[in-house]
Amino acid sequence: MISANLSAIFYLISGVLFILALRGLSSPETSRQGNFYGIIGMVIAITVTFLSIGNFASGFIYVLIFLLAGGAIGAFIAFKIPMTAMPELVAGFHSLVGLAAVFVAISAFINPQAFNLGSPGDIKLASLIEMSIGAAVGAITFSGSIIAFLKLQGIMSGAPITFKGQHLLNASILVSIIVLTYLLCVSQSSNLFWLLIAISFLIGFLLIIPIGGADMPVVISMLNSYSGWAAAGIGFTLENTALIITGALVGSSGAILSYIMCKGMNRSFFNVILGGFGATEQSTKETNKEQRPVKSGNADDAAFLMKNASSVIIVPGYGMAVAQAQHALREMVDTLKKNDIKVSYAIHPVAGRMPGHMNVLLAEANVPYDEVFELEEINNDFANADVAFVIGANDVTNPVAKTDPQSPIYGMPVLDVEKCKSVLFVKRSLSPGYAGIDNDLFYKENTLMLFADAKKMTEDITKNL
């Protein structure tokens, strides 16, 4: 059993390590160090919490069993999960954080004596407010993350699901959550508590279903923020300093990231919070893709264009992740550099299905950090580049975002690849991207489609080079 003062000191140390972890994760060069700080901070926090169990003899075995079970499951998933499924994994983990917050709130409400919060029917007002907020936000996070998981996994359609009066219904439910919280604090009725949790689960579903697939990376970031605030709320209930600090860090950093991404995608932050910001009506224009001219080529054609170029910009996307083509891409780029061809990588903020997806894959292939540029840093360079090599990126290169007000991605900044002298687009088919719309870039005069698996095509181009 560790003393309260000593616990507070160690929790403070873990909090500082979490802050250093976030700072390290802000740059690819220091991301490994940031991860290390986070791991050490979490080990300290878990150990201190473990040693702070009140009735250590009776509680030790239960905590140990669940600690080992959870750790084993987490380790198994971490080893097995492919990088392409990372967004779904993050959404799934967010749902578990939210559900944990709900369970803790239920435990505290049913047995407040165990948490030194009072007795049933006579719970401290501040504690009741904290557990109500934690339970409500946790329930919203859980159900919202489940919908995000289903959309990312393809089990549920990525298209927005809307109905008449949807925003009015959402607003009514949110107001009712506030009213129920007030009535619960006044009456401490168990029926009101369960009703609060039930409608919080419902609003979580309703907030996420109208959001389109193209905007799912922002949803992941937003749910990350929600899970943090749920954890912080429960931290106050448990009077656990580490949980409060960690929850506040996750909540605030997730909110800031959501704001930055919304700004980068020309979206409204308040629409993200309220839900339905991806529900723009699709364009009614009927276009028969078979009747539009498409130029296709092979690896030899692509190699010829690249060999005669002075500068090439690589645009990676989700297709590269699916094909696991990052290592083959690095080999191709190394070959180009030997021929004195300047090569850069252009990364869209939401390339892939979560922030930083492409950066992690390129770092895995040991691509130098100084060759990787964000959209605002490199977008003007496309007009002066000879070749743009688009490998699996779709929605983030679609010129429709700048021309069609009825498009669900209208207003979203995209990479100006069509301004290059030549565009090589590696894709299996002419199928639409995650936003569910056709890409006008396929049909541009300067675009050469390379229909193949991204990894095999890249390897074949390298051989021809």
Side-chain angles (χ1 to χ4, degrees):
M1 181 70 180
I2 191 170
S3 68
N5 289 336
L6 200 55
S7 295
I9 293 172
F10 279 113
Y11 280 148
L12 181 61
I13 293 172
S14 66
V16 171
L17 287 169
F18 292 143
I19 293 171
L20 292 174
L22 280 177
R23 180 176 176 81
L25 291 171
S26 66
S27 170
E29 290 92 337
T30 57
S31 59
R32 291 182 185 273
Q33 187 181 56
N35 266 320
F36 177 75
Y37 285 141
I39 292 169
I40 297 300
M42 189 55 70
V43 168
I44 292 174
I46 292 174
T47 303
V48 173
T49 303
F50 190 69
L51 296 175
S52 300
I53 300 172
N55 192 344
F56 193 79
S58 61
F60 176 85
I61 186 65
Y62 295 109
V63 174
L64 185 62
I65 288 172
F66 288 112
L67 191 65
L68 292 175
I73 293 171
F76 177 78
I77 293 174
F79 278 112
K80 288 290 184 180
I81 199 78
M83 269 303 302
T84 49
M86 197 58 64
E88 294 95 306
L89 176 67
V90 172
F93 279 170
H94 288 163
S95 72
L96 296 179
V97 174
L99 191 61
V102 174
F103 283 158
V104 172
I106 292 172
S107 301
F109 186 80
I110 294 175
N111 188 13
Q113 299 101 318
F115 299 88
N116 298 318
L117 305 178
S119 57
D122 188 27
I123 301 173
K124 298 174 186 176
L125 179 60
S127 299
L128 197 59
I129 294 173
E130 292 158 5
M131 73 174 69
S132 299
I133 294 173
V137 177
I140 292 170
T141 303
F142 173 75
S143 54
S145 297
I146 292 297
I147 295 297
F149 174 84
L150 294 176
K151 286 196 172 194
L152 289 167
Q153 191 68 16
I155 299 173
M156 182 177 179
S157 171
I161 300 174
T162 59
F163 52 86
K164 191 175 181 180
Q166 187 170 40
H167 291 294
L168 181 61
L169 175 62
N170 289 350
S172 301
I173 295 176
L174 289 171
V175 170
S176 67
I177 288 175
I178 297 172
V179 173
L180 279 173
T181 301
Y182 170 76
L183 294 175
L184 176 62
C185 293
V186 172
S187 65
Q188 302 207 12
S189 166
S190 59
N191 290 334
L192 290 177
F193 180 73
W194 292 112
L195 181 59
L196 173 67
I197 292 176
I199 66 170
S200 297
F201 279 128
L202 175 62
I203 191 63
F205 287 116
L206 294 175
L207 285 173
I208 305 302
I209 59 172
I211 299 178
D215 300 315
M216 201 51 63
V218 186
V219 175
I220 296 294
S221 175
M222 180 185 68
L223 290 170
N224 179 52
S225 178
Y226 287 177
S227 68
W229 297 125
I234 294 304
F236 281 106
T237 301
L238 299 177
E239 297 182 350
N240 187 298
T241 309
L243 199 52
I244 295 170
I245 294 173
T246 307
L249 285 171
V250 173
S252 57
S253 60
I256 292 169
L257 178 60
S258 297
Y259 174 77
I260 292 172
M261 292 179 67
C262 287
K263 190 175 179 181
M265 295 173 67
N266 197 27
R267 304 296 194 191
S268 167
F269 183 63
F270 290 103
N271 283 343
V272 178
I273 297 173
L274 297 176
F277 74 103
T280 309
E281 290 185 9
Q282 298 273 356
S283 174
T284 56
K285 291 186 294 186
E286 292 290 334
T287 304
N288 189 337
K289 284 183 287 190
E290 281 74 17
Q291 295 178 356
R292 301 181 68 181
V294 175
K295 291 192 294 184
S296 62
N298 54 34
D300 188 50
D301 298 325
F304 176 80
L305 285 172
M306 287 189 178
K307 276 190 290 189
N308 289 281
S310 59
S311 62
V312 175
I313 299 179
I314 311 293
V315 182
Y318 187 67
M320 184 192 76
V322 172
Q324 290 290 291
Q326 61 270 26
H327 295 283
L329 181 65
R330 169 66 196 273
E331 291 176 13
M332 185 191 81
V333 169
D334 287 344
T335 305
L336 290 172
K337 287 179 184 177
K338 290 177 183 177
N339 292 312
D340 295 323
I341 299 170
K342 179 186 175 184
V343 182
S344 305
Y345 295 82
I347 308 294
H348 192 280
V350 294
R353 293 191 182 175
M354 67 181 296
H357 199 174
M358 295 301 104
N359 301 76
V360 172
L361 288 173
L362 295 178
E364 181 189 346
N366 295 316
V367 171
Y369 299 128
D370 59 359
E371 295 177 5
V372 181
F373 300 92
E374 299 296 328
L375 178 145
E376 64 275 4
E377 297 174 311
I378 200 170
N379 226 14
N380 292 330
D381 295 348
F382 283 103
N384 301 316
D386 294 310
V387 175
F389 185 74
V390 184
I391 177 167
N394 200 332
D395 296 325
V396 299
T397 62
N398 196 339
V400 164
K402 297 177 285 186
T403 59
D404 185 2
Q406 298 303 313
S407 169
I409 64 172
Y410 181 70
M412 182 181 85
V414 293
L415 293 162
D416 295 332
V417 293
E418 76 275 9
K419 294 181 180 180
C420 272
K421 294 177 183 176
S422 299
V423 178
L424 301 174
F425 206 122
V426 183
K427 205 171 184 295
R428 289 179 180 273
S429 67
L430 291 175
S431 60
Y434 199 61
I437 57 174
D438 201 16
N439 190 343
D440 272 8
L441 183 62
F442 300 161
Y443 314 104
K444 295 287 184 181
E445 282 291 326
N446 58 335
T447 299
L448 185 69
M449 298 298 298
L450 305 173
F451 295 114
D453 172 80
K455 184 178 180 180
K456 186 178 187 308
M457 174 57 72
T458 307
E459 290 173 342
D460 288 345
I461 291 173
T462 304
K463 290 176 184 176
N464 280 279
L465 286 172

